[in-house]
Amino acid sequence: MTFKHFHFVLLLFVYQLIWGFFLYRIIDNTVAPLLRRFPSASTTDRAVQTYMTEAQFQLFKTDLIDPYLWLIGGLFLARMLLTPLFNAGFFYSLHQQSKDGGNTRFLEGVRKTWKPITLLYWIQAVLLLAPAWWIFPKVLHILLKSDTASEVLTAIVPGALIWMLWGGLLHLLFLAMQFGAVSGDGIIHTLWLSIKRFASYVAISFLMWGIAVLLGLAVTSISMLWAGLFALILHQSYPLIQTLLKVWTIATQYHYLKSER
């Protein structure tokens, strides 16, 4: 089923490549100049504290950050509009392929199911980002007041892990609801099915994610140990492999839930 949608794999790869390029340029143009002004290791703690105080003043007392916030907000809005369209086309095509075979129906899926998929995607995004209203001010306060990296990690890591678990839970449940929206079974029915089979649903998802992680570690190890033309080609082509694994994972999750109806 994954290879029948290889054209979608290529489309998704290009989509993610474009996003990666823009994010890289934003980070390179904003973060790199700040890092070049950061005091060197030979300077005193007072110099670091002065740098942090100046940064705090620039962030909260001037409009220096406003253009970057508008740029990031525009990119985020564009992603919120485009990603559900990709999901709608792919999920619908998966359903049609499993039902009667034939050609893939990506564009048909976009036309027929973009509204419920977009609504579910936005609700998931709101629920995922809701804790940020409380977390980000706390994190900023910790970064500005902590003296060592260990203090920052000790304070941030537990909350970050909980947020990651919350995001994973939302992803699995809303993915099931989107499957129900494109198949016609109803989002409530498919949501209840995913909850009823939650342990095995999570296990299959973690198995697929584990395969992706192990393959990523293998590619990284090969690139480091056998540096050369082959390693360079493998490293540059790995994002395409990642996209293929992502599509494979979603197809596996869909067929598992479908087989348990």
Side-chain angles (χ1 to χ4, degrees), residues 101-112:
N103 296 325
T104 57
R105 303 181 183 180
F106 177 79
L107 294 178
E108 180 182 341
V110 174
R111 291 193 302 268
K112 289 186 175 182

Side-chain angles (χ1 to χ4, degrees), residues 189-245:
H189 171 76
T190 315
L191 174 62
W192 171 244
L193 181 64
S194 67
I195 294 174
K196 187 170 64 173
R197 305 282 182 175
F198 190 70
S200 51
Y201 181 37
V202 171
I204 288 176
S205 301
F206 270 100
L207 174 62
M208 299 303 300
W209 294 338
I211 292 173
V213 170
L214 290 176
L215 186 58
L217 292 175
V219 170
T220 302
S221 300
I222 292 174
S223 300
M224 295 176 63
L225 296 176
W226 296 333
L229 180 60
F230 173 75
L232 178 63
I233 295 173
L234 181 63
H235 186 75
Q236 295 298 323
S237 63
Y238 182 64
L240 178 61
I241 300 174
Q242 280 183 310
T243 307
L244 184 67
L245 290 172

Side-chain angles (χ1 to χ4, degrees), residues 3-233:
F3 281 103
K4 287 181 179 179
H5 290 85
F6 195 74
H7 65 286
F8 174 74
V9 173
L10 295 176
L11 180 63
L12 186 61
F13 167 70
V14 172
Y15 173 65
Q16 294 179 339
L17 184 66
I18 293 173
W19 276 111
F21 171 77
F22 278 109
L23 288 176
Y24 168 77
R25 296 306 304 171
I26 291 173
I27 293 173
D28 185 53
N29 291 332
T30 57
V31 177
L34 294 176
L35 292 179
R36 284 194 291 267
R37 295 184 64 243
F38 192 83
S40 63
S42 60
T43 58
T44 63
D45 292 339
R46 184 175 180 82
V48 176
Q49 187 62 39
T50 302
Y51 173 85
M52 299 301 294
T53 302
E54 180 189 357
Q56 186 177 2
F57 176 82
Q58 293 285 348
L59 287 175
F60 295 106
K61 302 298 183 180
T62 70
D63 59 356
L64 179 66
I65 199 174
D66 289 353
Y68 303 109
L69 291 178
W70 280 107
L71 179 60
I72 294 173
L75 291 175
F76 176 76
L77 179 61
R79 188 175 182 87
M80 290 292 293
L81 293 174
L82 291 175
T83 300
L85 302 183
F86 282 86
N87 291 346
F90 177 52
F91 297 164
Y92 181 85
S93 185
L94 273 180
H95 170 66
Q96 294 298 323
Q97 277 278 317
S98 64
K99 186 173 69 172
D100 53 19
N103 296 325
T104 57
R105 303 181 183 180
F106 177 79
L107 294 178
E108 180 182 341
V110 174
R111 291 193 302 268
K112 289 186 175 182
T113 63
W114 71 270
K115 292 181 180 179
I117 297 300
T118 300
L119 179 60
L120 289 170
Y121 184 83
W122 287 356
I123 295 174
Q124 178 187 351
V126 169
L127 293 176
L128 176 62
L129 296 176
W133 184 264
W134 177 82
I135 291 175
F136 280 176
K138 299 286 186 182
V139 171
L140 182 60
H141 176 76
I142 292 171
L143 289 175
L144 294 175
K145 299 300 181 182
S146 298
D147 296 326
T148 62
S150 61
E151 292 182 8
V152 175
L153 293 176
T154 302
I156 292 178
V157 167
L161 292 176
I162 294 174
W163 199 4
M164 289 176 60
L165 291 175
W166 171 244
L169 176 65
L170 289 176
H171 171 73
L172 292 176
L173 295 181
F174 274 86
L175 184 64
M177 286 191 283
Q178 291 176 77
F179 290 157
V182 300
S183 66
D185 293 332
I187 61 176
I188 301 300
H189 171 76
T190 315
L191 174 62
W192 171 244
L193 181 64
S194 67
I195 294 174
K196 187 170 64 173
R197 305 282 182 175
F198 190 70
S200 51
Y201 181 37
V202 171
I204 288 176
S205 301
F206 270 100
L207 174 62
M208 299 303 300
W209 294 338
I211 292 173
V213 170
L214 290 176
L215 186 58
L217 292 175
V219 170
T220 302
S221 300
I222 292 174
S223 300
M224 295 176 63
L225 296 176
W226 296 333
L229 180 60
F230 173 75
L232 178 63
I233 295 173

